[in-house]
PDB file of all heavy atoms in Angstrom:
ATOM      1  N   ALA M  26     -13.868  28.459  11.786  1.00  0.00           N
ATOM      2  CA  ALA M  26     -15.241  28.738  12.242  1.00  0.00           C
ATOM      3  C   ALA M  26     -15.754  30.040  11.626  1.00  0.00           C
ATOM      4  O   ALA M  26     -16.919  30.143  11.225  1.00  0.00           O
ATOM      5  CB  ALA M  26     -15.278  28.815  13.765  1.00  0.00           C
ATOM      6  N   ARG M  67      -6.756  48.352  10.864  1.00  0.00           N
ATOM      7  CA  ARG M  67      -7.539  49.064   9.837  1.00  0.00           C
ATOM      8  C   ARG M  67      -8.133  48.114   8.810  1.00  0.00           C
ATOM      9  O   ARG M  67      -9.140  48.423   8.177  1.00  0.00           O
ATOM     10  CB  ARG M  67      -6.668  50.098   9.123  1.00  0.00           C
ATOM     11  CG  ARG M  67      -6.369  51.313   9.957  1.00  0.00           C
ATOM     12  CD  ARG M  67      -6.063  52.566   9.129  1.00  0.00           C
ATOM     13  NE  ARG M  67      -5.881  53.685  10.048  1.00  0.00           N
ATOM     14  CZ  ARG M  67      -4.713  53.951  10.671  1.00  0.00           C
ATOM     15  NH1 ARG M  67      -3.654  53.219  10.404  1.00  0.00           N
ATOM     16  NH2 ARG M  67      -4.645  54.946  11.524  1.00  0.00           N
ATOM     17  N   LEU M  93     -12.516  45.624  20.366  1.00  0.00           N
ATOM     18  CA  LEU M  93     -11.790  44.460  20.842  1.00  0.00           C
ATOM     19  C   LEU M  93     -12.774  43.603  21.641  1.00  0.00           C
ATOM     20  O   LEU M  93     -13.387  44.083  22.600  1.00  0.00           O
ATOM     21  CB  LEU M  93     -10.633  44.897  21.720  1.00  0.00           C
ATOM     22  CG  LEU M  93      -9.715  43.806  22.293  1.00  0.00           C
ATOM     23  CD1 LEU M  93      -8.885  43.159  21.194  1.00  0.00           C
ATOM     24  CD2 LEU M  93      -8.798  44.378  23.380  1.00  0.00           C
ATOM     25  N   VAL M 136       4.054  31.108  53.252  1.00  0.00           N
ATOM     26  CA  VAL M 136       4.148  29.679  53.565  1.00  0.00           C
ATOM     27  C   VAL M 136       3.708  29.431  55.017  1.00  0.00           C
ATOM     28  O   VAL M 136       2.998  28.467  55.308  1.00  0.00           O
ATOM     29  CB  VAL M 136       5.580  29.161  53.321  1.00  0.00           C
ATOM     30  CG1 VAL M 136       5.768  27.767  53.927  1.00  0.00           C
ATOM     31  CG2 VAL M 136       5.876  29.127  51.819  1.00  0.00           C
ATOM     32  N   GLU M 213      -1.182  15.980  32.747  1.00  0.00           N
ATOM     33  CA  GLU M 213       0.065  15.237  32.995  1.00  0.00           C
ATOM     34  C   GLU M 213       1.208  16.209  32.761  1.00  0.00           C
ATOM     35  O   GLU M 213       1.276  16.843  31.700  1.00  0.00           O
ATOM     36  CB  GLU M 213       0.207  14.053  32.026  1.00  0.00           C
ATOM     37  CG  GLU M 213      -0.578  12.829  32.455  1.00  0.00           C
ATOM     38  CD  GLU M 213      -0.532  11.725  31.404  1.00  0.00           C
ATOM     39  OE1 GLU M 213       0.372  11.739  30.532  1.00  0.00           O
ATOM     40  OE2 GLU M 213      -1.411  10.853  31.456  1.00  0.00           O
ATOM     41  N   LEU M 217      -2.662  19.700  29.745  1.00  0.00           N
ATOM     42  CA  LEU M 217      -3.923  18.967  29.634  1.00  0.00           C
ATOM     43  C   LEU M 217      -3.726  17.744  28.758  1.00  0.00           C
ATOM     44  O   LEU M 217      -3.218  17.834  27.640  1.00  0.00           O
ATOM     45  CB  LEU M 217      -5.003  19.865  29.021  1.00  0.00           C
ATOM     46  CG  LEU M 217      -6.392  19.217  28.902  1.00  0.00           C
ATOM     47  CD1 LEU M 217      -6.995  18.932  30.273  1.00  0.00           C
ATOM     48  CD2 LEU M 217      -7.330  20.099  28.085  1.00  0.00           C
ATOM     49  N   LEU M 255     -12.189  24.555  37.195  1.00  0.00           N
ATOM     50  CA  LEU M 255     -12.746  24.450  38.549  1.00  0.00           C
ATOM     51  C   LEU M 255     -12.237  23.190  39.236  1.00  0.00           C
ATOM     52  O   LEU M 255     -12.109  22.142  38.608  1.00  0.00           O
ATOM     53  CB  LEU M 255     -14.277  24.363  38.463  1.00  0.00           C
ATOM     54  CG  LEU M 255     -14.991  25.557  37.836  1.00  0.00           C
ATOM     55  CD1 LEU M 255     -16.397  25.153  37.395  1.00  0.00           C
ATOM     56  CD2 LEU M 255     -15.068  26.706  38.842  1.00  0.00           C
ATOM     57  N   TRP M 277     -13.652  19.199  22.719  1.00  0.00           N
ATOM     58  CA  TRP M 277     -14.635  18.123  22.537  1.00  0.00           C
ATOM     59  C   TRP M 277     -15.890  18.629  21.844  1.00  0.00           C
ATOM     60  O   TRP M 277     -16.583  17.849  21.187  1.00  0.00           O
ATOM     61  CB  TRP M 277     -15.001  17.492  23.878  1.00  0.00           C
ATOM     62  CG  TRP M 277     -15.747  18.411  24.811  1.00  0.00           C
ATOM     63  CD1 TRP M 277     -15.235  19.231  25.780  1.00  0.00           C
ATOM     64  CD2 TRP M 277     -17.172  18.617  24.847  1.00  0.00           C
ATOM     65  NE1 TRP M 277     -16.232  19.932  26.404  1.00  0.00           N
ATOM     66  CE2 TRP M 277     -17.427  19.575  25.855  1.00  0.00           C
ATOM     67  CE3 TRP M 277     -18.240  18.087  24.119  1.00  0.00           C
ATOM     68  CZ2 TRP M 277     -18.717  20.020  26.151  1.00  0.00           C
ATOM     69  CZ3 TRP M 277     -19.523  18.537  24.409  1.00  0.00           C
ATOM     70  CH2 TRP M 277     -19.755  19.490  25.417  1.00  0.00           C
ATOM     71  N   SER M 353     -18.873   8.700  21.563  1.00  0.00           N
ATOM     72  CA  SER M 353     -19.747   7.544  21.817  1.00  0.00           C
ATOM     73  C   SER M 353     -21.161   8.056  22.110  1.00  0.00           C
ATOM     74  O   SER M 353     -21.356   9.236  22.395  1.00  0.00           O
ATOM     75  CB  SER M 353     -19.197   6.706  22.973  1.00  0.00           C
ATOM     76  OG  SER M 353     -19.048   7.502  24.124  1.00  0.00           O
TER      77      SER M 353
END
Side-chain angles (χ1 to χ4, degrees):
Chain M
R67 287 205 176 84
L93 181 69
V136 168
E213 279 174 19
L217 182 66
L255 298 161
W277 67 268
S353 56

